Amino acid sequence: MDERKINWFLILFAIIGIPILYYLSENSWMLRGMLLNSALGGILNQPPKVAYDLNIRLENHMISRMKTYEAQGIKKTLKDVEFYKGKLDIKNPIKETTLEYILEDDEQRLIVFKDQGIIKYNRLTHKDTNINTKIPKEKAIESVMEFIETLNLTCNHQKSIVEDIPNQRMYHIRFINTLEGILNYSYCTKANINYSGEILDLECYQLIYKARQTVPVKSIKQAYDELIKIPIDGENLEIDIKQAELVYTLNPENENILVEPAYRFFGEIGGGGTFEYFIPAVDR
């Protein structure tokens, strides 16, 4: 290399290289941070220890925009509670707090929220002694609906989901209604009924839904891509996705607890059990 090229190199280094070295020496934390972030990124981007088997086609829906809703409870009065008291044949007087009415005796309890539109029933004693008795799922649904109608409550549902829980000898039932023709999983009336046909628990919602705004909806493929990146408890799980649908559900992160569009993924877990997960569908 001739002397002229060496001189040009030294001049160029002095102009560019020395300021860069000085900047890095004064901001050495930045270099360490870049290296640390790179290492953490490699760890955080490791694939989850869950294997998904997709047995449906992720077809794009025809809906690109949907409404969001705010649920408001139908108010309950002392007269309403007196009616429930007669139907349940509870002799004890009604207890009242600032938020609720309470009916209770040795066998059952009913809590009626004044403004939130929530009614909770609990059977305090039950007699499921015949281990050979097991009513069919259809009978369980019918019995719960009859109990709801006895209390003159509404449960306008389009779908019922029954989960059999053998180790507790009972069924868990959810009643799903609709908003604008879309299944609404946000506030589900639900009940537990034992194999003998006794209502153990009931949580019933009496609500009015008010539209808030119209929002864009992401594709089902986007939602599935988000699902498979979410960490799930347990290792080496095999999940067989059999259903994906656009529904409504709660957004608990919102201060007003809005009812918003979501994708519901449902399937089976290898080795036993069912899988259900909701991915927000609002394209923010």
Side-chain angles (χ1 to χ4, degrees):
M1 183 181 296
D2 61 34
E3 185 175 347
R4 181 183 300 178
K5 290 182 178 179
I6 294 174
N7 289 336
W8 274 110
F9 176 80
L10 292 175
I11 292 171
L12 188 62
F13 178 80
I15 294 173
I16 299 176
I18 291 177
I20 291 175
L21 291 175
Y22 175 79
Y23 180 81
L24 290 176
S25 67
E26 292 295 313
N27 300 276
S28 57
W29 58 271
M30 179 180 294
L31 185 60
R32 292 197 300 272
M34 291 168 62
L35 293 173
L36 181 60
N37 289 337
S38 176
L40 282 176
I43 294 172
L44 294 177
N45 290 329
Q46 289 180 355
K49 297 178 180 179
V50 178
Y52 288 95
D53 184 10
L54 189 64
N55 285 299
I56 55 172
R57 295 180 61 184
L58 297 179
E59 297 179 344
N60 286 333
H61 49 76
M62 301 300 293
I63 300 174
S64 61
R65 299 180 69 83
M66 290 175 64
K67 293 178 182 178
T68 64
Y69 292 86
E70 183 178 354
Q72 298 180 358
I74 297 175
K75 295 184 178 181
K76 294 295 180 180
T77 65
L78 184 59
K79 185 177 180 180
D80 295 321
V81 183
E82 288 172 345
F83 173 80
Y84 304 146
K85 184 176 185 290
K87 288 294 183 179
L88 295 172
D89 195 27
I90 295 178
K91 305 301 183 185
N92 294 338
I94 299 170
K95 299 177 184 178
E96 182 178 356
T97 71
T98 56
L99 299 177
E100 60 198 22
Y101 298 104
I102 303 172
L103 285 170
E104 186 176 17
D105 60 16
D106 293 337
E107 296 184 350
Q108 51 191 342
R109 177 192 301 123
L110 186 76
I111 300 176
V112 180
F113 290 80
K114 294 180 178 180
D115 300 318
Q116 297 178 15
I118 305 173
I119 297 171
K120 292 184 177 182
Y121 173 83
N122 299 99
R123 186 78 185 178
L124 303 179
T125 61
H126 58 92
K127 305 172 183 178
D128 186 23
T129 56
N130 188 350
I131 61 173
N132 296 319
T133 301
K134 183 179 180 180
I135 61 173
K137 293 180 180 181
E138 295 76 14
K139 179 61 177 176
I141 295 172
E142 182 182 334
S143 297
V144 174
M145 288 302 303
E146 287 177 355
F147 183 77
I148 291 173
E149 291 169 1
T150 297
L151 295 178
N152 202 27
L153 300 174
T154 56
C155 183
N156 299 320
H157 65 286
Q158 296 296 318
K159 178 180 180 179
S160 56
I161 299 176
V162 184
E163 182 182 359
D164 192 345
I165 308 176
N167 62 336
Q168 299 182 45
R169 288 185 48 76
M170 73 177 190
Y171 296 110
H172 177 68
I173 304 175
R174 284 182 291 169
F175 297 95
I176 317 299
N177 59 21
T178 60
L179 285 172
E180 299 282 340
I182 303 294
L183 290 173
N184 173 26
Y185 285 78
S186 60
Y187 292 98
C188 300
T189 289
K190 47 185 176 284
N192 292 322
I193 178 171
N194 66 18
Y195 286 172
S196 297
E198 291 181 298
I199 311 295
L200 304 178
D201 307 282
L202 172 70
E203 187 168 298
C204 191
Y205 290 92
Q206 306 291 282
L207 305 170
I208 297 174
Y209 292 92
K210 293 195 173 182
R212 291 289 302 273
Q213 61 179 327
T214 301
V215 294
V217 176
K218 68 181 66 166
S219 73
I220 191 170
K221 179 64 167 58
Q222 288 176 281
Y224 181 73
D225 290 342
E226 292 178 25
L227 172 71
I228 61 178
K229 294 177 183 178
I230 292 174
I232 295 183
D233 293 338
E235 295 186 1
N236 302 320
L237 291 178
E238 295 183 1
I239 299 175
D240 183 6
I241 300 294
K242 293 181 175 294
Q243 185 179 16
E245 57 184 343
L246 186 60
V247 301
Y248 276 106
T249 190
L250 284 175
N251 178 0
E253 297 180 358
N254 191 288
E255 292 181 359
N256 296 322
I257 313 184
L258 291 180
V259 177
E260 295 186 341
Y263 285 101
R264 174 182 178 261
F265 291 92
F266 180 81
E268 297 176 353
I269 300 173
T274 57
F275 174 84
E276 182 182 59
Y277 206 97
F278 295 88
I279 297 292
V282 180
D283 192 5
R284 290 187 167 90

